[in-house]
Amino acid sequence: MANIKSAKKRIRVIDKKTARNRRIKSHLKAVLKAYDAAIEAGDMAAAKEKLALAEKKLMQAAAKGTLHKKTASRKVSRLTKRFNKANA
């Protein structure tokens, strides 16, 4: 356990950031699972809505620093590619 005041503060700050990152990632996983379910069901209208939501959430996660910007872009690209392939 830390004894120095600044070290104690860093522990509190890291705990808050970890909680925020976990919350963002778990919400993102739920959105991606919903997208996968829509694609598997063949419901393209729902899949299109889920794709837009997934893109928004991925970019928000990148903006907050939870994901790297290029990681988010790569995931969006792959999701879009999957949607286009299923739609064709």
Side-chain angles (χ1 to χ4, degrees):
M1 183 64 199
N3 291 322
I4 298 169
K5 188 177 180 183
S6 62
K8 288 178 183 177
K9 181 181 177 183
R10 291 306 309 157
I11 290 170
R12 288 196 310 270
V13 169
I14 288 167
D15 287 344
K16 283 182 189 175
K17 285 185 175 187
T18 302
R20 184 184 70 181
N21 287 340
R22 277 196 186 139
R23 190 172 57 250
I24 290 170
K25 283 186 177 182
S26 74
H27 185 68
L28 195 55
K29 285 177 190 173
V31 169
L32 294 175
K33 280 184 184 178
Y35 171 77
D36 288 340
I39 288 284
E40 291 297 320
D43 188 2
M44 288 302 138
K48 189 171 185 177
E49 291 174 21
K50 302 292 182 190
L51 176 61
L53 181 64
E55 182 175 356
K56 180 181 176 184
K57 293 298 178 184
L58 281 163
M59 290 307 163
Q60 283 178 342
K64 292 293 181 184
T66 303
L67 294 178
H68 192 275
K69 183 179 163 189
K70 289 186 179 181
T71 301
S73 293
R74 183 178 65 244
K75 286 181 184 281
V76 168
S77 175
R78 288 178 181 170
L79 291 173
T80 307
K81 191 174 176 182
R82 240 180 100 200
F83 176 77
N84 290 337
K85 187 176 179 183
N87 209 13

